[in-house]
Amino acid sequence: MLARRNPSRSDRGAAQPNAGGALPPADAEPAVTGQVLRYIEEHGLAAGERLPSERDLATQLDVSRPALRESLATLEALRLITRKPNSGIYLAGPNAYPSFESVVLRSNHGLPLDRDTIVHSMEVRNLLELQAIELACERRTAADLALLASIVEQTGQRLVDNRSIIDLDEAFHLGVVAASHNPVFVQIVHSFYRLSIVRRRVYFSDLRRCRRSHREHQEILRAIGARDTTAAREAMRRHIHEGFWRSILRRSSRVA
């Protein structure tokens, strides 16, 4: 017979049974996080405003308090909210500077992003990818080129079947960034692709855009293979600015 032990601090911090005695599902926290974000959006809460108490918020959202508590911890870590002892839960103040992951989180849950956030995010992505392709020209290996060539070949085969290349487009761009051999670059740029997934689905639903992207990827690949930094940077700049960037600006202007 196993001896019983007192719960450790980590045990006490783990998910606890809800009122019915059941633990919240493993995927409850992301879903509840989305509900909290939508609650904030729908109630028009501004920076620094107070949210309902944990008990009241759990009741309004019809979720368990353990799941809500995990969600609030996530939002606090992203600097979207702050919890003050003996006071309550508040939206972060105007100078809190929420993390970029909080922007990605909103996008993942289908919440609208304002035009400035979209434009500013694309500006940063542009700067990162242009710097990454310069490093790729300098540092790429034969294996890097083989991977990019394989993606370009798969893209061509996909287009023969008149199918979207959205996943292969992302793979190509992240492959270029990976050729910089800077893993932090890959992590950051990947966040921008998560942020733009909804808009990219719309963009790549047009096969003409898919074919254009494929041609431009071929040009970029040739420049990287030749270690031609100037040509590679210019090809990437045109690829981003004249394609997806222009589409983003048109769509966000209609929303604004």
Side-chain angles (χ1 to χ4, degrees):
M1 179 175 174
L2 293 175
R4 296 185 63 185
R5 61 182 178 87
N6 292 326
S8 66
R9 183 173 299 176
S10 60
D11 292 331
R12 292 194 295 269
Q16 298 297 317
N18 58 24
L23 287 171
D27 60 349
E29 186 269 320
V32 174
T33 299
Q35 289 181 261
V36 175
L37 290 173
R38 281 189 289 275
Y39 179 94
I40 293 170
E41 183 82 18
E42 291 168 0
H43 287 76
L45 299 182
E49 284 197 59
R50 184 176 179 177
L51 278 75
S53 68
E54 182 183 292
R55 181 188 299 275
D56 290 344
L57 188 57
T59 299
Q60 291 186 49
L61 298 179
D62 193 23
V63 300
S64 71
R65 290 185 67 182
L68 176 61
R69 199 170 296 126
E70 290 184 31
S71 172
L72 294 175
T74 296
L75 296 176
E76 188 169 35
L78 296 176
R79 300 191 295 280
L80 280 171
I81 66 166
T82 181
R83 292 181 287 182
K84 301 178 182 180
N86 303 317
S87 180
I89 308 164
Y90 296 82
L91 279 186
N95 298 319
Y97 299 109
S99 74
F100 180 67
E101 281 296 313
S102 69
V103 179
V104 177
L105 185 67
R106 285 180 56 85
S107 181
N108 286 347
H109 286 287
L111 294 168
L113 302 176
D114 61 81
R115 185 178 189 277
D116 284 347
T117 297
I118 295 169
V119 172
H120 294 161
S121 298
M122 284 298 297
E123 283 181 351
V124 175
R125 175 195 156 187
N126 177 59
L127 292 171
L128 291 171
E129 292 211 50
L130 292 181
Q131 180 62 43
I133 201 168
E134 289 188 10
L135 293 176
C137 286
E138 297 171 8
R139 301 174 180 176
R140 60 84 175 154
T141 65
D144 294 324
L145 287 180
L147 173 62
L148 292 172
S150 174
I151 294 170
V152 168
E153 181 181 0
Q154 292 176 60
T155 302
Q157 294 171 350
R158 181 82 62 83
L159 289 173
V160 170
D161 297 330
N162 293 321
R163 292 187 292 143
S164 171
I165 63 165
I166 180 171
D167 56 327
L168 293 172
D169 175 82
E170 178 178 339
F172 181 84
H173 281 266
L174 293 181
V176 170
V177 178
S180 73
H181 292 270
N182 183 328
V184 176
F185 247 138
V186 179
Q187 293 169 351
I188 295 173
V189 173
H190 186 222
S191 293
F192 284 91
Y193 280 85
R194 289 169 53 206
L195 171 64
S196 61
I197 184 62
V198 174
R199 290 169 179 80
R200 293 179 67 253
R201 284 185 185 131
V202 174
Y203 183 83
F204 285 105
S205 65
D206 186 334
L207 287 175
R208 291 172 300 177
R209 291 170 174 164
C210 292
R211 293 190 173 91
R212 174 179 178 169
S213 182
H214 181 223
R215 292 193 300 271
E216 292 171 350
H217 286 180
Q218 290 173 313
E219 181 183 2
I220 291 168
L221 176 57
R222 286 192 296 270
I224 295 174
R227 296 191 190 276
D228 189 335
T229 303
T230 302
R233 182 183 175 90
E234 177 58 20
M236 183 64 82
R237 186 198 66 78
R238 288 197 311 271
H239 179 55
I240 294 175
H241 277 256
E242 297 177 13
F244 187 62
W245 172 269
R246 185 173 296 175
S247 170
I248 284 289
L249 290 181
R250 282 199 300 266
R251 289 177 59 81
S252 60
S253 295
R254 290 196 294 268
V255 171

